[in-house]
């Protein structure tokens, strides 16, 4: 009776980049379900009687399976609770929000999706890189999978944002160059976007993997490839 | 003395989808520079002594040239004002935020960029379309220009978001099909996203232009092409 679920995009990590709608829903929540990508700062303001459930997927811990997260959302909502599922970035950008929506619908639980600031764009911005810029790039592509690299646009005037492991970065850049990207295209690795120790490594596409390895780049990181990488530099 | 500029992404139009940082900056602003893409709702809460400057580009009115907007931001900040440049969506997604940033920097005016919820993703979400969805699409591309249509990925498992005129929609869909897109790929036109009269027209890519013409689709609208269009439908 009265239970419901909101899938809230919490933005890229800076607590100021959650939406006002998301903030309001958090203030009303009885239960908040978070993972490691959700900004921790916004949790500090919650009342003590709010149940916080961490389904975080740490690299060396077992993640909570998606089906179990779905079941949890439905269970708490059926118990009459206002449930906020707080997700890093936007719920529909690699956030599995669609799966959680379908699970709630299948259980006849009212569900709302609140878009968020996606990390794919905002982390680049935090590094001083605009994904589009007049006279430089009129479009952009965001991909997670290696299998897509052969099919993305290959001019420096179309920005690529790669959300995939930095471990395989040399394979990634090799694949892009083999598919037609100029090795001289500007590129960047941005580690720990919006955290105090954010680090940006800029190089040409051909040299990026080596440079990233030299500084010991690690996850979480995003990679941006395109002429926009240097568009705002002095 | 103390003057500065913030380029604030106001989100896709719903006043609840501005960030809390953006909202706070608005509350501090002496001057707010808006255009037609900025949500009007958030302006209603401003104090009466806040100067609101509309540089809106209406289809039938002359727009204020970008150079003049840049000069305005710099001028007011040099006069000691806290200036918020409120932009629809995100400042770096076709928002010309990079140009305004460079203009401020060149004038030694302190400038901050506040990312926003991009309409490219959120308007699709408002129509019940996730730009990515497990087992359906692992990546997405956002483009504005016709010249890019031949180079974007052409599988239904990679989502396309097209921010370009619905007037030339039949040319757009023809170009995509000629470049390799299946005519049976699901597609949608979403008009007036987040407004009370939002309208969604779904068809196959091959039939989308005809269906959109039949209902009289007009700008502002975004087009989404890919298997995600029907992923959350019953």
């Amino acid at each position: 009776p009265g239970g419901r679920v909101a899938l809230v995009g919490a933005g890229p990590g800076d607590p100021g980049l959650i939406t006002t709608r998301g903030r309001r829903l958090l203030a009303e929540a009885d239960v908040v379900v978070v993972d490691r990508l959700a900004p921790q700062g916004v949790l500090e303001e919650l009342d003590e009687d709010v149940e916080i459930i961490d389904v975080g997927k740490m690299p060396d811990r077992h993640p909570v399976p998606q089906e179990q997260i779905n079941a949890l959302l439905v269970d708490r909502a059926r118990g009459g609770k206002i449930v906020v599922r707080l997700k890093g970035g936007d719920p529909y950008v690699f956030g599995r929000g669609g799966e959680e929506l379908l699970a709630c619908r299948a259980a006849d639980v009212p569900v709302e999706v609140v878009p968020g600031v996606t990390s794919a764009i905002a982390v680049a911005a935090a590094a001083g890189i605009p994904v589009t810029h007049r006279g430089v790039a009129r479009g952009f592509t965001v991909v997670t999978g290696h299998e897509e690299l052969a099919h993305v646009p290959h001019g420096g005037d179309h920005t690529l944002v790669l959300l995939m492991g930095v471990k395989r970065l040399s394979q990634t850049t090799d694949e892009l160059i083999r598919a037609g990207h100029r090795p001289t295209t500007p590129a960047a690795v941005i580690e720990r976007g919006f955290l105090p120790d954010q680090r940006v490594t800029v190089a040409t596409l051909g040299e990026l993997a080596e440079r990233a390895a030299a500084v010991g780049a690690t996850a979480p990181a995003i990679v941006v490839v395109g002429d926009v990488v240097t568009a705002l530099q002095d």
Side-chain angles (χ1 to χ4, degrees), chain A residues 142-172:
Chain A
V142 181
V143 292
T144 48
H146 270 260
E147 64 273 22
E148 297 186 88
L149 295 178
H151 306 291
V152 297
H154 291 294
D157 60 351
H158 185 97
T159 305
L160 298 184
V161 179
L162 311 175
L163 307 178
M164 48 182 85
V166 285
K167 268 187 193 169
R168 296 170 72 193
L169 186 57
S170 71
Q171 187 186 337
T172 302

Side-chain angles (χ1 to χ4, degrees), chain A residues 5-217:
Chain A
V5 172
L7 311 176
V8 174
D14 181 318
L17 294 181
I18 191 171
T19 62
T20 57
R21 174 81 187 137
R23 182 81 162 242
R24 194 158 300 159
L25 284 162
L26 269 182
E28 292 173 4
D30 301 307
V31 181
V32 179
V33 179
V34 300
D35 54 42
R36 69 181 175 90
L37 291 173
Q40 301 303 306
V42 294
L43 300 178
E44 285 162 17
E45 295 170 25
L46 297 174
D47 285 346
E48 286 200 0
D49 60 347
V50 174
E51 184 187 14
I52 299 178
I53 304 175
D54 189 347
V55 294
K57 295 164 185 169
M58 297 300 291
D60 43 2
R61 266 198 266 156
H62 284 296
V64 176
Q66 185 63 47
E67 296 65 33
Q68 212 169 307
I69 298 173
N70 298 349
L72 180 69
L73 300 177
V74 166
D75 174 75
R76 291 299 195 280
R78 280 184 169 160
K81 305 293 189 187
I82 298 178
V83 183
V84 167
R85 171 70 172 112
L86 196 67
K87 307 173 89 69
D90 179 90
Y92 283 159
V93 179
F94 314 111
R96 306 191 69 168
E99 291 165 78
E100 294 172 359
L101 179 92
L102 291 175
C104 291
R105 270 203 210 147
D108 267 331
V109 165
V111 58
E112 167 185 3
V113 177
V114 181
V117 173
T118 178
S119 309
I121 296 169
V123 168
I129 300 171
V131 291
T132 70
H133 189 65
R134 191 173 169 84
V136 178
R138 296 187 52 168
F140 63 98
T141 293
V142 181
V143 292
T144 48
H146 270 260
E147 64 273 22
E148 297 186 88
L149 295 178
H151 306 291
V152 297
H154 291 294
D157 60 351
H158 185 97
T159 305
L160 298 184
V161 179
L162 311 175
L163 307 178
M164 48 182 85
V166 285
K167 268 187 193 169
R168 296 170 72 193
L169 186 57
S170 71
Q171 187 186 337
T172 302
T173 55
D174 284 354
E175 283 172 6
L176 286 173
I177 290 168
R178 210 175 308 129
H181 252 92
R182 281 179 296 110
T184 53
T185 309
V189 175
I190 305 143
E191 297 166 84
R192 298 178 296 282
F194 287 99
L195 293 175
D197 56 346
Q198 172 178 303
R199 178 169 63 177
V200 185
T201 304
V202 175
T204 63
L205 182 61
E207 290 173 352
L208 185 67
E210 198 178 330
R211 290 281 285 280
V215 301

